[in-house]
Amino acid sequence: MKDLRVERDVQTETNKIEARGVQVFYGTNHAIKDVDVDILDKTVTAFIGPSGCGKSTFLRCLNRMNDTVASARVEGKILLENEDIYDARVDPVQLRAKVGMVFQKPNPFPKSIYDNVAYGPRIHGLTRNKSELDEIVEKSLRRAALWNEVKDRLHAGGTGLSGGQQQRLCIARAIATSPEVLLMDEPCSALDPIATAQVEELIDELRTDYSVVIVTHSMQQAARVSQRTAFFHLGNLVEYGETGQIFTNPKDPRTESYISGRIG
Amino acid sequence: MSDASINPSDLPQKSESLLVPSKLMRRRNAAETRYKAYGIAAIVISLATLGIMLITIFSDGISAFSQATLRFPVTMDAATLDPKGNRDIAEMTKVTTVGYKKVLEKSLIAELVLRQVAVDGVSEKDIGAFISGDAPARLRDMVLADPSLIGQTIDFSAFATGRIDGYFKGRVTMETAKLDSNISPEQLQLADKMQEAGILDVRFNTKFFTNPDASDTRPESAGLGVAIIGTLYMMALVVVLSLPLGVAAAIYLEEFAPQNRFTDLIEVNISNLAAVPSIVFGILGLAIFINFGGLPQSSSMVGALVLTLMALPTIIIATRASLRAVPPSIRTAALGIGASKVQMVFHHVLPLAMPGILTGTILSLASSLGETGPLLLIGMQAFVVNYPSGPLAGGVMEPATALPVQVYAWAARSDPAFIERASGAIIVLLAFLLVMNIVAIILRRRFERRW
Amino acid sequence: MSVFMLLVVIAVLALVGFVIGRQRALASAAGNIKEMHSLPLYYGWHGALMVIVPSLFALTFWLVIQPLVIERQLVGYFPPEVVESSAARTLAMADVRRVAEGLDIAIAQGAMTEVQADMVRTEFGSVRDRLADVGVALGAEVTPQILTAAQDYRKYAVVGNIGRSILTFLVALAGLIYAIRITNKDFRARNRVEQVIMALLSLSSTVAILTTVGIVLSLVGESLRFFTMYPWQDFFFSLTWSPNFQGGSDLGLAPLLWGTIYISFVSIIVAAPIGLFSAIYLAEYASPRVRSVVKPAIEVIAGIPTVVFGLFALVTLGPILRDWIAEPTGWGNSGSSVMTAGLVIGILNIPFVSSLADDVINAVPQAMRDGSYGIGATKSETIRLVILPAALPGIVGGMLLALSRAIGETMIVTMGAGAAAKLDLNPFEAMTTITVKIVSQLTGDTEFDSPETLVAFALGMTLFVLTLGLNVVALYIVRKYREQYE
């Protein structure tokens, strides 16, 4: 499969998210240990590592999805454009409109395709009237490369689409609220290879507007879509840098073991 | 959600600070709080109603366990009770309760005189009206059982009538007494003096648990004796009938039944029977067991049969659930060492499922304990004053009544004293239920197994 | 020999069968268990089962058949019009049995001798009085036919009871002998015992079908008899209900059905929002601690007998509604009303709705919630816009089940709704329901040959069809809903 990275330049070096000394506890289990990381704007950042290494947990800290788990406790600072998202004044609901999320398994609501995409704009009050909403829905579906496939059946159920289409619908749903960051938790793990390729291509396109953070268990995928890669192991951030450097010239022996398939 | 309700100024501006909630966000959070409040309100309403209901029942009913009682020496006047003076039982049975009532009345008045209680214009007849209608009958039974009592003076205690009793419990007041033809304020004043003099006191009423029902005019002596016996008979029969039958049916359906239309038919029947209104089971009992089968009306046997049919679906469903909860590894292990399927079920699966089965049975028994409608149709609301015989002497075939039915029967009577009795009966009924549920919980806690 | 004694005899023979079966098998293998096909215990059980099962079947068979045979013998004593009508025949037979029992009691108490009991004639004085002396109350004076029939009944019963004892004993004995003869070390006792157990198990499972058959037969049979006495058009379409035991009744279903539906409607208005919102709170907002306390507390409501709710309606809620709402507004002056009964049934149904709603809400996958939270929806928006629409079919099914329970509820309406059958819209009027009328037509002194009594069976039939229909629809919807997420 071709390397998508060469087609677009890395546009920016400005930091979108800065995480400092992040610790996560599930009850007594110390899931994330003192992680510092900077996520760049308009860049795809991949989190890789063996299962249970904490990469998904850390991802879920970035839009405070861990708040919905009663036993989870987060310490440290995560700054989104220099504002601490764990500040007491921050409403996680408002945060999540800025930091959208796409999940491992496609989870469209049991509503029509249109209503799925319109859900976010409606609750966040992004539109004044129906035509504006129509516009957002169309734009989002186009952005998610789904418009041509569904434009004739916008009011059919979202659950009737194929797996890859469902996942792209979920991406459209997430970008309809015009977020600044998109978090993707193994977005292709439930898809077949062709659908995976489509979604990967889409992720690369999204980089022009958003900062994308993707968790993946596939190193090939990380190599294909991301510009920066972070390797997690046992709750620690072992190594973080340019994707090419991580895969060709890892500094830490643990990264090398993982890349070469000795641990995982 | 309507889009029109959103003002342009509410629209979130790009890159606005997260630290300042937008106007819309404030509105959304208010909606959130409201929604949560609805939930709390719903819970508070349900629990408050439950609380109010239980509190009213208890405050109405707790007084049923105490009773205003008169205690005074009774002189067994030989001239009235045994006019011929030869202590011949056959002769003495001719003296009716009216004669005994006179004896009691005279003795009470004599006691008042002795204790220097001023009667203040209350007539002798009205003083006699203090004594419950069941006291003369009890005295008569005592004398007929032991004629030597005649001529003696014995200590006797008799219930005060429902109105006097009600006065000490706050149900009857001076104001209501003025309007009541059965009682006068003067009588109530006298009652106060009698209490001071120690002739009358309010004490714990064991007779409430043992006496049979009593007629409309003497609520004070109505008790739950027959109802408790009837309920115990029925519960025992329901266990004996429904447990083996229900468990056998459940074992068959869960472990052995082939997948075919007949099995499906049984399954559909069980799930539908669980939802058939209870009154329909009463019609079934009336038509099949009484009219067709010729079993006696009002008997605990018919009641138990009806309740058994009602309890079976629940027991079968509960048993199947606990059989299913036994992990397959136990089954394969048993089969693997050469047990037959029947041996596997009876030696391994059933003992492990037993706590669950018993819990389910107790809970379904608890719900049959409270059933009323179907028992009305098979005649158990009847006025029964004779205790049924012992269980081996055919007592289950004799007329009886049941606790919930007794509640209904008393609630339907006009004298408010019976509302107190009905609430008291509910307290007894709830106590039974509480015990059963506690047993079920203990069983579950003690034997609960995590696989 | 009484049935109880017979059971004792069977038990003793079964014990004998157990011991002999076991020992014979052991003896034939010379005490070497390894030579036997099954464990010794199974030979014992085989012996016992061969005694118990056939003899109990014989006994049950006899107990069912004997009254039918005797009735056929006695039919000759009854006048033709009694023989014609099955209801009258049932009543006459009940009289006969009652008199016969009375004679038995009289003999047992020594008030009569056997011979006297056979010789008693109505011409020589009131049999009713003589029986009343021994504590047997009869509704009416005994006719000569009934008395002769009763005397014959006693004779047949004696013969029948002897026959019963002999048959049961012989069957038990035959089973014992068969078991003893067949038992040796090569006999496959375990397989045989397991076959018998399987047969008994599958027989028990048919009890559910038998119950349904019993319900349907008793409802259909008596309803058909009702419709031979009273035109079905009037029952279903007449708008008045005024039964009159002297005849000339109007037995129209409409006012009862209206009362039933109105009260059930009020109850759903109460139970649906309260039940639903408490379920939402418990499922989505409450902490595990709160949930573990509140959920069982709400379920306590479901465990309280309905007669308690009935008393609450009668004594507390009814008067409150009357004194505080109905009378000040001039809407009515009755404590029993549609409102009283509807509110109380609604309260009764709260835990039912709440636990069903809890189930369906929990069946909505977590992924749906994550999807909604992930793009910044609040909890209430997620519940309102995602979870409830997804759970809607299940919730509708649950409401239908609650409606069906409200329609079939008896005690609360009997004590709280009133007895007046009317077609009215005012919820503070007393109205009545199908179940109330079933109770009132079938309690007290009833004669099973008048339309006023038999109408209860037609009402029961209506109720059964109504609730069954609702249940089938509701269960279908709920099942479809569950399949969606499995």
Side-chain angles (χ1 to χ4, degrees), chain B residues 243-285:
Chain B
L243 189 59
L245 208 54
V247 172
I251 290 176
Y252 179 74
L253 291 172
E254 194 59 35
E255 305 283 342
F256 299 110
Q259 270 296 328
N260 59 26
R261 304 186 77 169
F262 187 69
T263 313
D264 286 349
L265 182 70
I266 297 177
E267 308 243 359
V268 169
N269 263 299
I270 291 173
S271 60
N272 279 328
L273 280 180
V276 168
S278 60
I279 192 82
V280 171
F281 284 93
I283 297 181
L284 168 84

Side-chain angles (χ1 to χ4, degrees), chain B residues 395-432:
Chain B
V396 293
M397 291 296 190
E398 289 165 22
T401 168
L403 276 173
V405 182
Q406 193 68 68
V407 172
Y408 171 72
W410 281 344
R413 299 206 186 146
S414 51
D415 191 328
F418 279 108
I419 295 296
E420 173 200 78
R421 303 266 141 178
S423 306
I426 286 178
I427 296 176
V428 175
L429 181 62
L430 291 181
F432 269 84

Side-chain angles (χ1 to χ4, degrees), chain A residues 28-80:
Chain A
T28 55
N29 178 22
H30 198 171
I32 294 287
K33 296 162 189 158
D34 199 21
V35 168
D36 294 348
V37 77
D38 294 333
I39 309 268
L40 298 180
D41 197 11
K42 304 206 195 303
T43 305
V44 178
T45 306
F47 290 174
I48 60 168
S51 47
C53 67
K55 54 190 192 296
S56 285
T57 304
F58 184 70
L59 185 78
R60 292 168 75 93
C61 292
L62 299 181
N63 71 343
R64 292 184 61 177
M65 277 297 277
N66 281 330
D67 288 17
T68 59
V69 181
S71 62
R73 188 159 53 82
V74 179
E75 287 171 8
K77 264 195 162 81
I78 298 178
L79 304 177
L80 174 67

Side-chain angles (χ1 to χ4, degrees), chain A residues 113-114 116-121 126-127 132-148 150 154 165 167-179 182 202 205-206 209-210:
Chain A
I113 294 169
Y114 183 95
N116 261 287
V117 181
Y119 182 77
L126 298 181
T127 57
E132 275 189 21
L133 189 62
D134 287 348
E135 202 180 304
I136 289 188
V137 170
E138 183 179 341
K139 221 175 76 194
S140 307
L141 283 170
R142 279 188 194 282
R143 200 74 188 81
L146 192 61
W147 176 252
N148 290 330
V150 300
L154 283 178
Q165 288 174 321
Q167 194 60 301
R168 277 180 285 149
L169 176 63
C170 293
I171 293 174
R173 189 175 67 188
I175 57 186
T177 56
S178 10
L182 265 183
L202 170 62
E205 282 167 22
L206 291 171
D209 297 322
Y210 311 104

